[in-house]
């Protein structure tokens, strides 16, 4: 049973397998039939393709094909497109290139039948031809992307394809158009519009953008001038009639090509002229007025578009309409916001510390695209057109036609603050002065809008651009001196009610429209005034009269005060520009007065309230003192300086609750080694100890310790002795100018350890100022400005202070600056030669300066670089060491509130009439003298009535070694002014004793005392006055002593 079942199953399996094999065989046979059919079809298709390709090849390679009827060309083109779509081959691009050549040639034929476009006039082929030309042109634009501009191989092909695109997007180039009637011309034009719409829909402008970026993204540009012209003028002239959507594509993809208009203007000026005449820029700004447009433009593209629009506008010979000009400026402002340095583009990465250097915008947070990297300098060339004379005249036409109704120049200062010089009306754009009342309110408002936008554009550029480009902008604007003064006249026109009206508008935030004008005016004026010399500023009064400068400084002074003290919100960049100009005017006024007394003070500022807030460290008081210190009277600033010293002492714990010193340092000084011992021992004293009490022990020439009163007087004697030696020109550390003023010597290096000595002298001077000890040291004005910190201000001019160093060189440089002839005839270079230890040393004023000739174009730079070199470059080590020592006691913030002359007064005392009553109230008497003693009464009567101003100064110098009183009066003199009665000769004088005091009180004189001259110990500010019996004897002896300096000494 089991065997039978197994056999049965085996039989069934074999039957199944046999059936399966038969099925497989049938499938194989069927497949073979199918394969044979497919092979036959492929073979047939190949034969057809080969036949078609052969026909195409034969036609395209036939030299006579260009004379064949257009229908033949149309049919061959259809075959080629079929092959390209379904059976592409390696030679298809060559065939397509040949087809384009034949089509272009056919359009130049004199035979109507040969014109390729004539096929469209055949009803049987019209629809097919339109479809064909659309496909052909789309393929043409696509092939342009794959080609390499600049390649010898590809350049002819690029030119061919661009010609093809240009030809079929402008029917006016067709001979059929010239011979057609009006109805047919409209048909042909409509045909072109259809073709253009199809091309635009199929990425014509993105393809053009790729071509332009590939061609212009290299140096030199890869596109030939013919190709570039074609690529950029495709439908440009007629594009202005098209919808804004197409213009937007044109702007986004073509006008964002780097340096496009620059290269086009160089290679094909005719094309540029056509673009200008067609009003392309007007159409562009009409589209760009929509804010949403800028959301699709990248920062690099915005940068390139900015350059192209600037250059396109510069090519306009006629002024744009007011509305179009407004749109242009607004577009440029928006594009600046989109550029790499725009805050709006960087908000998301505000905490990123990765910056990239941009040649125009400096450190930015976006990397320059690789395609734009090589072309940035070309775009910069376009942006620099903002500095050009013609461009500035175009943009600022409405500003420069503003002129005052009268401009009487006067050298006399006049009271300002009540009213500005008023010019009631702007002149017309034609430059003709409008009669009173001729300008309507609407016209005036329109001009104000234009002026504000133009100034805002330049103000933003100045804020965003790197330093060298910013200087070029300011130089370009400042060259139009009338433009700068017209800006001020414009501001006056807007607020003819005077400065109070203008300031009130600022207070109420109703003056935002003029702040950009004000800021640009301040930038330009600062740049301009820095290069004016004294004669141009004061005598010739170029660009501004002195009265106008008073008005300007008055307003700037008050607008900064309003911003700080009244907390009126004004953009920081605008305030900074105002502060720069105000600083220049204040510096000029300090050198040579052009304002009235108390011009710089702010009457609205209550000094008592300010002093209270300053001591309480209120933010607005601290900021005002830092920003506008001259708003306070000089005496109050000195009081604040002494207050800062007092606060510093308390913070360092230098005095205790009983007002006694807690930090005392001891130094030992040899009389014959004052300076050397001073810098050696002071170098080991910490800054805290240096600000404390320093007690000095002198060692005389015999090596013995001198006896002395261990009070402040011995230290004052040490200071005076060191100062007398250190500032002596014979030592070689310092030199004197022709006015006897001191400045560091450029050859001080011949002195061993000269920099350490400079640092020591700086510390000693700082200690004297810190303690309020007056030192009669006349410093050169440039050195005072260095100490004040004004040297580091951005708008500081070295030429202003050169006369305080070298008047002869100053005169020579001003001669070069104003030389009427050709400066190159003087054979100067950017270098300076001097004799050092018998050798001629040449210093370059700039890298390679000895090889750079001075010309009329660069002479301004030369004179400033020379002044910079003489005053700072060759003295930088000495100045740094001196300042390092001085700043160790007196921080920069403490002296920045003073001008140079004011700092000199702080160091050397007040240059005013000596107040004898003040001196009497604060004098101290010793040895029996008192205020009612007859000798003292005689003394004050003689000093007050019998001595003139010079003799009073000599009396003060006789006692204190300085002819000027302390700034805050004799109450602040250290040590206090003292008078002691002496009854013996100088050799016998041992100070006060019980006997000497009693003799002084009762006027009991020794025999020798009436023969003795008055003497002084200047280290103690002590007058040693014998008790004379007669007033005329006292007068005679006192005058002899102070005028001949008999008995003058440093005890």
């Amino acid at each position: 049973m089991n065997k039978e079942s197994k056999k049965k199953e085996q039989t069934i399996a074999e039957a199944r397998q046999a059936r399966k094999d038969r099925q497989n065989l049938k499938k194989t046979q069927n497949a073979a039939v199918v394969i044979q059919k497919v092979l036959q079809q492929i073979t047939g298709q190949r034969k057809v393709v080969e036949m078609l390709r052969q026909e195409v090849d034969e036609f395209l390679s036939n030299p006579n094909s260009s004379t064949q009827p257009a229908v033949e060309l149309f049919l061959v083109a259809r075959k080629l497109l079929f092959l390209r779509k379904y059976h592409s081959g390696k030679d298809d691009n060559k065939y397509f290139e040949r087809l384009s050549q034949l089509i272009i040639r056919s359009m130049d034929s004199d035979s109507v039948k040969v014109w390729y476009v004539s096929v469209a006039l055949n009803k049987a082929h019209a629809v097919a031809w339109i479809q064909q030309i659309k496909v052909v042109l789309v393929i043409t634009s696509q092939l342009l992307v794959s080609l390499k501009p600049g390649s010898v191989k590809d350049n002819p092909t690029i030119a061919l394809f661009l010609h093809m695109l240009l030809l079929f997007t402008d029917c006016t180039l067709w001979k059929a158009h010239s011979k057609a009637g009006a109805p047919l011309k409209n048909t042909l034009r409509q045909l072109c519009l259809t073709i253009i719409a199809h091309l635009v829909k199929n990425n014509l402008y993105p393809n053009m953008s790729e071509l332009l970026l590939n061609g212009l993204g290299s140096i030199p540009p890869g596109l030939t001038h013919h190709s570039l012209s074609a690529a950029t003028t495709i439908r440009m002239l007629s594009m202005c009639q098209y919808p804004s959507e197409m213009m937007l594509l044109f702007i986004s993809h073509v006008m964002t090509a780097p340096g496009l208009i620059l290269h086009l203007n160089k290679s094909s000026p005719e094309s540029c002229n056509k673009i200008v005449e067609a009003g392309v820029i007007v159409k562009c700004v009409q589209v760009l007025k929509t804010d949403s447009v800028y959301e699709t433009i990248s920062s690099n593209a915005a940068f390139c578009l900015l350059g192209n629009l600037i250059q396109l506008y510069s090519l306009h010979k006629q002024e744009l309409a007011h509305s179009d000009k407004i749109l242009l400026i607004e577009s440029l402002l928006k594009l600046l916001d989109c550029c790499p340095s725009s805050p709006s583009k960087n908000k998301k990465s505000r905490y990123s510390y990765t910056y990239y250097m941009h040649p125009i915008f400096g450190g930015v947070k976006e990397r320059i695209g690789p395609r734009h990297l090589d072309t940035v300098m070309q775009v910069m060339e376009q942006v620099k057109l903002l500095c050009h004379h013609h461009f500035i005249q175009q943009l600022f036409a409405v500003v420069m036609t503003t002129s005052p109704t009268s401009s009487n120049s006067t050298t006399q200062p006049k009271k300002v603050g009540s009213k500005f010089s008023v010019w009631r009306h702007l002149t017309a754009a034609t430059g003709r002065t409008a009669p009173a009342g001729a300008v309507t309110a609407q016209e005036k408002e329109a001009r104000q809008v234009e002026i504000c936008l133009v100034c805002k554009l330049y103000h933003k550029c100045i804020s965003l651009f790197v330093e060298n480009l910013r200087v070029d902008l300011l130089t370009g604007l400042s060259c139009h001196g009338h433009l700068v003064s017209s800006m001020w006249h414009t501001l006056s026109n807007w607020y003819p009610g005077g400065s109070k009206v203008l300031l009130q508008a600022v207070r109420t935030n109703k003056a935002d429209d003029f702040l950009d004008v004000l800021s640009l005016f301040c930038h330009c004026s600062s740049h301009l005034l820095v290069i004016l010399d004294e004669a141009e500023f004061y005598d010739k009064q170029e660009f501004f009269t002195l009265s106008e400068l008073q008005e300007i400084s008055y307003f700037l002074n008050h607008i900064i005060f309003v911003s700080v003290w009244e907390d009126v919100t004004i953009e920081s960049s605008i305030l900074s520009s105002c502060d720069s100009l105000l600083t220049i005017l204040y510096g000029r006024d300090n050198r040579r007065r052009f304002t009235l007394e108390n011009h710089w003070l702010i009457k609205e500022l209550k000094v008592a309230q300010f002093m209270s807030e300053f001591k309480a460290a209120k933010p607005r008081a601290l900021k005002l003192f830092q920003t506008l210190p001259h708003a306070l009277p000089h005496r109050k600033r000195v009081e604040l300086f002494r207050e800062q010293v007092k606060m510093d002492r308390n913070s360092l714990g230098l005095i205790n609750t009983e007002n006694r010193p807690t930090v005392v340092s001891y130094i030992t000084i040899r009389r014959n080694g004052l300076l050397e011992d001073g810098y050696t021992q002071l170098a080991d004293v910490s800054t805290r100890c240096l600000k404390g009490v320093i007690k000095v022990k002198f060692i005389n020439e015999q090596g013995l310790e001198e006896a002395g009163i261990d009070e402040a007087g011995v230290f004052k004697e040490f200071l005076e002795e060191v100062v007398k030696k250190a500032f002596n020109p014979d030592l070689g550390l310092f030199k004197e100018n022709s006015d006897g003023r001191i400045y560091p010597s450029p050859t001080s290096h011949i002195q061993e350890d000269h920099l350490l000595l400079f640092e020591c002298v700086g510390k000693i001077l700082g200690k004297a100022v810190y303690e309020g000890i007056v030192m009669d040291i006349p410093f050169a004005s440039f050195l005072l400005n260095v100490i004040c910190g004004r040297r580091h201000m951005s708008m500081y001019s070295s030429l202003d202070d050169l006369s305080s160093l070298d008047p002869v060189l100053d005169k020579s440089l001003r001669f070069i600056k104003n030389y009427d002839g050709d400066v190159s005839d003087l054979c100067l270079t950017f270098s300076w030669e001097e004799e050092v230890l018998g050798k001629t040393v040449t210093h370059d004023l700039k890298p390679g300066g000895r090889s750079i000739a001075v010309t009329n174009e660069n002479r301004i730079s030369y004179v400033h670089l020379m002044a910079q070199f003489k005053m700072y470059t060759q003295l930088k080590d000495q100045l740094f060491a001196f300042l390092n020592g001085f700043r160790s006691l007196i921080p920069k913030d403490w002296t920045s509130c003073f001008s140079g002359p004011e700092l000199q007064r702080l160091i050397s005392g007040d240059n005013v009439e000596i107040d004898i009553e003040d001196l009497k109230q604060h004098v101290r008497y010793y040895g029996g003298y008192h205020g009612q003693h007859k000798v003292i009464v005689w003394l004050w009567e003689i000093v007050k009535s019998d001595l003139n101003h010079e003799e009073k100064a000599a009396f003060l110098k006789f006692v204190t070694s300085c002819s000027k009183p302390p700034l805050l009066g004799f109450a602040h003199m250290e040590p206090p002014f003292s008078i002691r009665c002496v009854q013996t000769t100088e050799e016998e004088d041992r100070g006060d004793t019980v006997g000497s005091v009693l003799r002084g009180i009762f006027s009991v004189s020794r025999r020798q005392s009436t023969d003795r001259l008055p003497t002084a110990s200047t280290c103690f500010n002590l007058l040693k006055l014998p008790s004379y019996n007669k007033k005329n004897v006292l007068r005679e002896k006192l005058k002899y002593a102070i005028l001949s300096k008999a008995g003058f000494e440093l005890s």
Side-chain angles (χ1 to χ4, degrees):
M1 189 70 181
N2 291 334
K3 289 181 180 181
E4 291 179 359
S5 62
K6 288 182 179 180
K7 186 177 180 180
K8 185 178 179 179
E9 290 176 358
Q10 184 177 359
T11 302
I12 294 171
E14 290 174 354
R16 288 176 178 173
Q17 183 62 40
R19 186 168 54 253
K20 195 173 185 179
D21 291 340
R22 289 192 300 272
Q23 291 175 350
N24 290 336
L25 178 61
K26 188 175 181 179
K27 288 180 179 180
T28 301
Q29 292 173 346
N30 292 335
V33 173
V34 173
I35 291 173
Q36 288 177 354
K37 289 182 179 180
V38 171
L39 286 174
Q40 289 175 356
Q41 290 176 357
I42 292 175
T43 302
Q45 287 178 356
R46 283 182 177 177
K47 288 181 180 180
V48 173
V49 168
E50 289 176 2
M51 182 182 67
L52 292 175
R53 199 173 295 279
Q54 185 177 0
E55 292 175 359
V56 170
D57 184 65
E58 288 177 358
F59 185 87
L60 295 179
S61 59
N62 186 355
N64 299 321
S65 297
S66 58
T67 60
Q68 296 294 321
V71 175
E72 296 294 329
L73 183 59
F74 165 72
L75 294 175
V76 169
R78 185 162 61 179
K79 294 174 183 178
L80 179 59
L81 294 177
F82 171 80
L83 293 174
R84 185 178 183 85
K85 183 175 182 180
Y86 297 107
H87 303 282
S88 60
K90 62 179 181 180
D91 295 330
D92 284 355
N93 288 347
K94 292 183 180 179
Y95 288 147
F96 195 83
E97 182 178 342
R98 176 61 178 163
L99 176 66
S100 299
Q101 291 174 347
L102 291 176
I103 291 175
I104 292 172
R105 288 178 185 176
S106 74
M107 297 296 290
D108 290 333
S109 175
D110 295 329
S111 175
V112 177
K113 294 181 179 180
V114 178
W115 296 342
Y116 177 65
V117 73
S118 66
V119 180
L121 304 178
N122 189 332
K123 292 183 178 180
H125 302 297
V127 176
W129 183 89
I130 294 173
Q131 186 61 34
Q132 183 182 95
I133 193 61
K134 288 180 179 179
V135 175
V136 169
L137 294 179
V138 168
I139 294 174
T140 301
S141 70
Q142 292 172 347
L143 289 176
L144 283 171
V145 178
S146 61
L147 298 174
K148 296 180 180 179
S151 168
V152 177
K153 177 184 176 183
D154 289 347
N155 270 348
T157 307
I158 293 174
L160 175 66
F161 288 165
L162 288 173
H163 190 183
M164 185 76 173
L165 288 169
L166 179 61
L167 182 61
F168 288 97
T169 53
D170 188 357
C171 62
T172 59
L173 301 176
W174 304 348
K175 289 187 177 181
H177 184 274
S178 62
K179 295 181 180 181
L184 182 56
K185 286 183 178 180
N186 291 332
T187 302
L188 295 178
R189 182 177 180 276
Q190 190 61 40
L191 177 61
C192 283
L193 294 179
T194 303
I195 293 173
I196 292 173
H198 183 76
L199 286 172
V200 170
K201 186 177 179 181
N202 287 271
N203 299 322
L204 170 65
Y205 286 110
N207 292 338
M208 290 296 101
S209 177
E210 286 294 316
L211 175 65
L212 289 170
L213 286 175
N214 290 335
L216 300 178
S218 59
I219 300 177
L223 291 177
T224 64
H225 69 278
H226 300 294
S227 303
L228 182 58
S229 301
T232 53
T233 55
I234 298 172
R235 297 305 299 150
M236 267 193 180
L237 303 181
S238 58
M239 187 66 70
C240 299
Q241 305 171 15
Y242 287 1
S244 58
E245 293 79 5
M246 291 185 181
M247 275 304 301
L248 177 58
L249 290 172
F250 170 74
I251 292 170
S252 302
H253 296 290
V254 177
M255 287 296 289
T256 54
L260 172 68
I261 305 299
L262 173 69
H263 296 301
L264 186 60
N265 189 46
K266 289 180 178 179
S267 60
S268 181
E270 301 82 7
S271 299
C272 255
N273 291 335
K274 290 181 179 179
I275 294 173
V276 172
E277 292 169 1
V280 171
I281 192 170
V282 175
K283 198 66 178 178
C284 286
V285 298
Q286 289 289 342
V287 175
L288 289 171
K289 67 183 180 181
T290 306
D291 291 339
S292 58
V293 173
Y294 301 92
E295 298 175 1
T296 61
I297 300 179
S298 67
S299 59
N300 289 321
F303 173 52
C304 297
L305 178 56
L306 175 75
N308 285 325
L309 287 178
I310 288 174
Q311 182 152 30
L312 197 55
Y313 177 69
S314 71
L315 296 174
H316 274 259
K317 296 179 181 179
Q318 294 182 350
E319 185 58 55
L320 294 179
H322 172 75
S323 58
D324 294 332
K325 188 175 181 181
I326 294 297
L327 288 177
L328 171 65
I329 300 171
E330 289 177 343
S331 299
L332 295 178
L333 285 167
K334 292 175 182 177
L335 287 172
L336 280 172
D337 286 335
C338 295
C339 285
S341 60
S342 170
S344 60
K345 290 287 184 181
N346 294 330
K347 286 181 180 178
K348 295 182 180 179
S349 58
R350 61 184 295 185
Y351 299 108
S352 172
Y353 294 95
T354 302
Y355 285 84
Y356 304 96
M357 285 308 299
H358 195 288
I360 291 181
F361 300 105
V364 299
K365 296 181 180 179
E366 291 186 28
R367 188 191 297 271
I368 303 175
R371 286 183 169 182
H372 297 84
L373 192 59
D374 294 332
T375 58
V376 171
M377 301 310 294
Q378 300 169 23
V379 182
M380 180 186 285
E381 187 177 341
Q382 293 179 307
V383 173
K384 281 186 175 181
L385 290 171
L386 291 167
C387 316
H388 286 195
H389 179 84
H390 174 66
F391 195 91
I392 292 173
Q393 278 192 323
Q394 281 182 297
L395 276 182
F396 285 92
V398 68
V399 180
M400 288 193 286
T401 55
T402 305
S403 61
T405 56
S406 61
S407 57
N408 297 325
S409 176
T410 175
T411 58
Q412 297 299 323
K414 67 178 183 180
K415 188 174 182 179
V416 297
S418 58
K419 204 162 190 175
F420 284 105
S421 300
V422 182
W423 295 276
R424 294 293 180 182
H425 302 288
L426 295 169
T427 57
T430 59
R432 293 175 297 177
T433 304
V439 179
T440 65
Q442 186 177 3
E443 290 173 339
K444 186 173 181 180
E445 183 179 358
R447 292 177 183 180
Q448 288 181 358
V449 170
E450 182 177 335
I451 292 171
C452 287
L453 283 175
V454 173
C455 292
K456 185 175 183 179
L457 172 65
Y458 274 82
H459 174 234
K460 178 163 284 191
C461 290
I462 290 170
S463 302
L464 294 178
F465 291 170
V466 293
E467 180 63 25
N468 60 337
L469 193 52
R470 184 184 303 125
V471 171
D472 288 343
L473 275 176
L474 291 173
T475 301
L477 292 169
S478 301
C479 285
H480 298 267
H482 176 56
L483 169 61
V484 181
S485 57
S486 294
M487 288 185 197
W488 179 249
H489 301 161
T490 299
L491 293 172
S492 302
N493 282 328
W494 291 357
Y495 295 91
S499 57
K500 293 183 179 179
V501 175
L502 188 54
L503 288 169
Q504 185 59 31
V506 173
R507 286 187 175 97
T508 55
N509 295 319
K510 294 180 180 179
D512 294 341
D513 56 344
F514 91 99
L515 288 179
D516 288 308
V517 183
L518 175 65
S519 181
L520 184 63
F521 164 74
C522 291
H523 278 299
C524 296
S525 299
S526 299
H527 191 78
L528 182 63
L529 293 180
V530 162
I531 63 176
L532 295 184
D533 56 33
E534 300 294 291
E536 293 167 333
F537 186 91
Y538 292 98
D539 302 328
K540 298 179 181 178
Q541 298 184 36
E542 295 188 2
F543 310 116
F544 297 103
T545 66
L546 295 183
S547 297
E548 288 173 345
L549 292 173
Q550 284 189 84
E551 295 169 356
I552 293 168
S553 60
Y554 178 90
F555 173 69
L556 294 178
N557 208 34
H558 282 74
I559 196 173
I560 295 176
F561 170 75
V562 166
S563 172
V564 176
W565 193 251
E566 300 181 14
D567 198 24
V568 175
T569 303
I570 300 177
E571 188 179 332
S572 59
S573 61
I574 296 175
L575 278 180
S576 176
S577 63
C578 294
D579 183 61
S580 296
L581 178 56
L582 185 65
T583 301
I584 292 172
L585 294 174
Y586 182 65
R588 289 276 191 177
D589 193 55
N590 279 318
R591 289 199 303 276
R592 179 176 167 184
R593 198 80 185 238
F594 66 87
T595 63
L596 296 176
E597 191 72 24
N598 299 329
H599 172 82
W600 300 99
L601 301 182
I602 303 292
K603 296 180 180 179
E604 293 86 346
L605 178 62
K606 297 179 180 178
V607 176
Q609 180 186 2
F610 172 84
M611 298 291 282
S612 175
E613 291 191 19
F614 183 86
K615 293 177 181 179
K618 295 289 183 66
R620 71 169 185 169
L622 298 176
K623 186 176 180 181
L624 183 66
F625 188 65
Q626 181 183 10
T627 309
L628 212 65
H630 56 255
L632 287 171
H634 177 245
R635 182 181 180 87
K636 293 299 179 182
R637 278 178 278 147
V638 176
E639 290 178 6
L640 288 176
F641 176 83
R642 301 314 314 172
E643 183 67 24
Q644 287 176 314
V645 171
K646 182 179 179 181
M647 293 166 60
D648 187 59
R649 282 195 174 119
N650 291 333
S651 65
L652 294 175
L654 300 180
I655 54 177
N656 57 21
T657 55
E658 298 177 355
N659 205 29
R660 293 182 177 275
T662 60
V663 178
V664 181
S665 302
Y666 297 88
I667 59 174
T668 303
I669 305 295
R670 293 172 297 136
R671 284 282 183 185
N672 56 1
L674 278 169
L675 193 55
E676 296 82 356
D677 288 355
Y679 91 79
T680 300
Q681 296 204 30
L682 290 180
D684 298 330
V685 179
S686 67
T687 300
R688 179 172 180 268
C689 294
L690 202 58
K691 292 181 177 182
V693 173
I694 298 179
K695 293 184 180 289
V696 180
K697 279 292 182 182
F698 280 116
I699 304 298
N700 62 23
E701 295 179 357
Q702 288 74 35
L704 301 176
E705 184 177 298
E706 293 183 1
I709 305 172
D710 195 13
E711 295 293 342
V714 178
F715 180 68
K716 181 173 182 284
E717 179 186 353
F718 164 69
L719 291 182
E720 290 174 341
E721 285 289 298
V722 171
V723 164
K724 183 190 299 184
K725 184 172 183 179
F727 289 104
N728 188 338
D730 295 337
L731 182 64
L733 288 180
F734 291 86
K735 295 180 71 174
E736 285 184 352
N737 63 13
S738 57
D739 295 330
R741 294 189 168 273
I742 301 295
Y743 64 91
S745 171
T747 58
S748 63
H749 57 270
I750 62 176
Q751 183 74 245
E752 186 179 359
D753 295 330
H754 71 118
L755 295 181
L756 292 176
L757 289 173
F758 271 110
E759 185 171 359
C760 172
V761 172
K763 287 182 178 179
I764 290 173
L765 181 64
K767 178 65 174 176
V769 174
Y770 191 86
E771 299 293 342
I773 299 174
V774 177
M775 292 286 174
D776 196 4
I777 313 167
F779 287 110
S781 62
F782 85 92
L783 181 56
L784 292 169
N785 284 328
V786 169
I787 299 174
C788 289
R790 299 186 183 276
R791 157 74 182 90
H792 299 286
M793 292 182 176
S794 58
M795 300 309 296
Y796 177 78
S797 172
S798 303
L799 195 61
D800 291 340
D801 288 324
L802 182 60
S803 60
S804 68
L805 174 76
D806 191 337
V808 176
L809 178 62
D810 177 66
K811 184 178 180 180
S812 300
L813 292 181
R814 296 190 189 280
F815 169 78
I816 295 171
K817 177 175 177 285
N818 300 304
Y819 185 59
D820 293 332
D822 188 354
V823 175
S824 58
D825 294 341
L826 303 178
C827 300
L828 298 172
T829 62
F830 278 77
S831 61
W832 169 260
E833 292 183 353
E834 63 175 344
E835 293 287 333
V836 179
L837 300 177
K839 295 181 179 180
T840 301
V841 179
T842 302
H843 304 278
D844 287 331
L845 303 182
K846 60 164 61 175
R850 67 192 71 186
S851 303
I852 302 175
V854 179
T855 64
N856 287 350
E857 289 72 27
N858 61 20
R859 59 179 168 181
I860 298 298
S861 175
Y862 170 77
V863 298
H864 283 274
L865 286 174
M866 179 63 77
Q868 169 80 11
F869 173 80
K870 289 293 291 181
M871 286 199 295
Y872 301 106
T873 305
Q874 69 173 351
L875 300 175
K876 61 182 180 180
D877 293 334
Q878 294 92 324
L879 291 174
F880 178 81
F882 180 78
L883 279 181
N884 191 42
F886 186 80
R887 295 274 180 247
S888 64
L889 286 99
I890 308 296
K892 179 182 175 181
D893 292 343
W894 291 10
T895 57
S896 61
C897 63
F898 300 110
S899 64
E902 289 172 340
L903 181 63
Q904 182 68 70
R905 292 164 63 188
L906 185 68
I907 295 171
S908 301
D910 212 348
N911 192 21
V912 295
E913 183 76 25
I914 299 174
D915 189 345
I916 303 301
E917 292 300 323
D918 181 48
L919 176 59
K920 285 174 60 178
Q921 291 177 11
H922 298 97
V923 70
R924 296 184 182 181
Y925 300 105
Y926 300 98
Y929 278 153
H930 51 82
Q932 301 303 318
H933 195 288
K934 67 176 183 178
V935 176
I936 298 300
V937 173
W938 291 342
L939 173 67
W940 295 127
E941 289 176 352
I942 293 169
V943 171
K944 187 173 183 179
S945 303
D946 297 345
L947 301 184
N948 58 31
H949 176 72
E950 290 75 17
E951 290 172 335
K952 289 177 183 177
F955 168 72
L956 187 60
K957 185 168 185 176
F958 178 78
V959 181
T960 67
S961 77
C962 184
S963 60
K964 301 173 184 177
L967 280 179
L968 299 180
F970 289 97
H972 296 268
M973 175 171 277
E974 290 293 336
F977 194 100
S978 305
I979 302 176
R980 183 161 67 87
C981 178
V982 291
Q983 302 290 339
T984 61
T985 62
E986 184 66 28
E987 293 76 11
E988 296 173 346
D989 186 13
R990 294 294 180 267
D992 286 347
T993 63
V994 174
S996 67
V997 171
L998 290 175
R999 282 191 295 271
I1001 293 174
F1002 296 106
S1003 300
V1004 179
S1005 302
R1006 291 188 176 183
R1007 182 182 56 188
Q1008 299 94 332
S1009 63
T1010 56
D1011 297 329
R1012 176 181 171 178
L1013 289 170
T1015 58
S1017 292
T1018 58
C1019 57
F1020 294 104
N1021 296 332
L1022 175 64
L1023 172 64
K1024 299 176 180 179
L1025 183 66
S1027 182
Y1028 296 107
N1029 295 324
K1030 296 181 179 179
K1031 181 178 180 181
N1032 61 341
V1033 175
L1034 172 58
R1035 180 188 303 106
E1036 179 185 346
K1037 298 290 186 181
L1038 181 64
K1039 281 192 174 185
Y1040 184 86
I1042 64 176
L1043 296 179
S1044 65
K1045 298 181 182 176
F1048 182 79
E1049 69 191 43
L1050 290 170
S1051 299

